[in-house]
């Protein structure tokens, strides 16, 4: 993790390889944060489907 700690959008990094590093970014949301006015039916999705994002 970064030295800034664990906030609402933390990033977790892998050790650098060949001068490049990879990370995953998390969204830490409060309960009922996916308001239907902005997110549509996102609150009804399975967590894995929500994390995957919209389909093409």
């Amino acid at each position: 993790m970064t030295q800034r700690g664990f906030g609402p959008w933390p990033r977790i990094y892998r050790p650098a390889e060949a001068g490049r590093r990879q990370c995953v970014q998390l969204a830490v949301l409060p309960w009922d944060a996916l308001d239907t006015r902005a997110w549509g039916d996102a609150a009804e999705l399975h967590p894995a489907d929500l994390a995957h994002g919209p389909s093409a």
Side-chain angles (χ1 to χ4, degrees), residues 14-44:
R14 283 185 165 182
E17 292 182 15
R20 298 184 63 172
R21 66 180 184 176
Q22 296 178 331
C23 75
V24 62
Q25 189 167 10
L26 307 174
V28 181
L29 303 174
W31 199 260
D32 289 331
L34 301 178
D35 189 317
T36 56
R37 293 173 290 180
W39 291 88
D41 65 350
E44 303 302 319

